[in-house]
Amino acid sequence: MNSPVNNAGSAMATYSALVSIAVADALGWQTEHLRRREDIERLFGVKFIDSFHKYQRRRGSLFQGYTDLVQEGDYSDDTQLTLATARSILPDGAFDPDYFSKVELPALKLYLRGGGSTVKAAVEKIARVKARWFTNFFTYRSPKGEKLDYRDSGANGVAMRIAPHALANRENPQKGVIGVWQNAVCTHGHPRAIVGALAHFWALILLLRQADADEESLIKGVLDGISESGLPQSWEFQQWKSLWEEGRGPGSFSRTYEETLKEYQRLVSLLRSHLFDEGDHPFLKEVGAFNRSTRGSGLVAAVAALFFFLKYRNDPRKAILRIVNHLGLDTDTIASMTAALYAASGQAVLPELWEKVQDYEYLASAQEGKLPRLPGADFFKKTKKATSLETHPPLEMAQRGGTISHSLFGSGRVLEVIKQNPPPKEVVMVRVRWDYGQSMVFTKLPQGSKRAK
Ligand SMILES: [Mg+2]
C-alpha cells in the first residue's frame, strides 16, 4: 500500500485536487446548457472545447434579465461549493456542520454561479432562524414551476462538493462518511443525493489509498463502502429521520434508502457491461445521463464519473475533454467529479490550464482538502444571525482598482465593474478578489426585483 509511487501520487493529489476540480468545472460550465454542436462554434468560435473562453451568459427572467460576463477560466457552483466544504473541515478531518450550514451556505446566496434549483432553495431556507443543518426541510419550485420537496431532492449538488472529505480523511474514512452525511442533509433529502455522494467519496478514498487499484477491486470497494455507510447513529440523525418520515410513515426513509442502493447497483452493473464499448454514448444513454428527469441525479453523476475514469484510466485529458464536448450531459459536474478521481490517483488533469483557472493560487493552497475559514467566520458563528449574511458588500461605491470590504469576506480589491441597462433597471456587476484568495462576482439587481434564478 505504501509504495513510493503511491506516496508520490498522494502528495500530488493533495496539491492538485481542488485545482483539477476547478479546471474541469470551468471547461464544462462553458458547454453545460448547450444542445447543438453549432452552439459551440457560435459562442466560442471553435469546434471543440479544450481551453477557456470569455463569453456571455443570459441570466434572470425575460423582462429582468442581464448578461453574466464569464471570464476565461471562471468556475461555477461545483467549485464554489467544494471550497465551502473545504473551509468547513476541521484540522482533524471532522466536519463542522454548524459553520457550513449557518455561515457558508447562506453566504453563497450572494455569489453562487450556476447552481441547481435545490441548492438555490436550500441556501435561502437554511437562513431561517430555526433551521439547523439536520432540520432544513423545505418545499420549493423548480424552474418549470413544479412543487418540489427536499425529501425528493436527489440531485448531484452534494456529490459535486464532497471531495475534500475524502482528501482529509484518507486514514480514517469512517469520520469522512459522517462528514458526507452531515454535509448532504444540509441541502438534499433524497438518498439519491446522499448515496451518489457516498459512492464518489469511496471511489476517492480507494484511489487515495491505492492509486493503481484495478477496476474490479474499485467497483467492489465502492459497493462495500456504501453498504457500510448507512445513516449515522446520533440524535441529530434520529431527529432528521423522524422529520423525514412525517406524513410518509415509519420505515419510509429506510425503504427509500434500500431502493436507492439497488438503483445504484443497477447503474454499476451497466457500467461493468459497457466499460469496453467503442464509444461513451450507449452507457450514458442507458443510465439516463441525457434524460431531463435523471440527468442531474447524484447517482448518475457518480457512476458516470467512475465510468469515464475507468474507461480512460491513464488519459485524464481525453476523459475530461470527451465529457466537456458531449453535449446534453451535465458537463461541468461530471467533468469535475471525474477530475477529482484522477487527482486522487495522482494524475495531473490538464496541467497546462492550471494557472489560467480562476483563483489558482487559492485552490492550490488547500492542504489535504482543507482551507482556513472565511475571515469574519467567528463573528457570524457567534451571532447565529444568518440574516446579516444577506448583505452585499457596498457595490454602489465600487470602483475598479479600489478596495472593498465585507464583514464575512474581509477586505478585497475590485477587479471589474460592469453596468447594464439604464436606470431604473440598472444591473451592477462587481468582480472582487478577497485578500484571503478567492474571487467572486456580485450582482446588484434593480430595487424591488427578486434575485434572478
Ligand atoms: Mg456548475
Side-chain angles (χ1 to χ4, degrees), residues 25 29 32 75-79 113-116 160 330 332-333:
D25 172 23
W29 194 28
E32 187 189 3
Y75 55 70
S76 77
D77 58 315
D78 303 62
T79 306
R113 282 184 118 186
M160 66 167 71
D330 193 343
D332 57 340
T333 298

Side-chain angles (χ1 to χ4, degrees), residues 4 42 46 57 108 129 133 139 185 207 214 253 266 286 301 304 314 337 367 396 406 411 413 423 432 445:
R42 181 174 53 79
V46 294
R57 217 185 177 99
L108 266 159
V129 176
W133 62 267
T139 56
V185 302
L207 288 167
D214 65 52
F253 175 74
R266 191 185 67 84
E286 217 168 326
N314 298 309
M337 287 173 63
Q367 298 283 333
E396 319 70 37
H406 185 265
S411 52
R413 191 157 289 280
V432 176
L445 298 173

Side-chain angles (χ1 to χ4, degrees), residues 46-47 54 63 112 155 184 208 211 231 249 288 342 397 431 440 445:
V46 294
K47 285 193 160 59
K54 182 176 176 169
F63 302 106
L112 189 70
L208 284 162
L231 188 75
Y342 282 108
M397 279 124 71
R431 181 184 289 259
M440 297 174 182
L445 298 173

Side-chain angles (χ1 to χ4, degrees), residues 155-208:
N156 57 28
V158 184
M160 66 167 71
R161 67 178 188 244
I162 56 81
H165 292 283
L167 295 163
N169 289 288
R170 185 182 354 179
E171 306 303 336
N172 190 356
Q174 282 313 323
K175 194 187 273 182
V177 165
I178 293 173
V180 171
W181 268 94
Q182 291 171 322
N183 187 331
V185 302
C186 292
T187 56
H188 292 65
H190 195 281
R192 275 191 199 104
I194 303 164
V195 173
L198 290 169
H200 188 50
F201 170 83
W202 278 107
L204 291 167
I205 288 283
L206 294 161
L207 288 167
L208 284 162

Side-chain angles (χ1 to χ4, degrees), residues 67-110:
T67 304
D68 189 0
L69 304 167
V70 183
Q71 295 289 357
E72 283 132 339
D74 276 6
Y75 55 70
S76 77
D77 58 315
D78 303 62
T79 306
Q80 293 179 321
L81 285 160
T82 303
L83 290 170
T85 296
R87 290 190 288 257
S88 305
I89 295 183
L90 299 165
D92 69 352
F95 185 64
D96 183 343
D98 290 311
Y99 169 70
F100 180 73
S101 63
K102 285 301 196 184
V103 179
E104 291 285 351
L105 285 181
L108 266 159
K109 201 165 71 172
L110 299 176

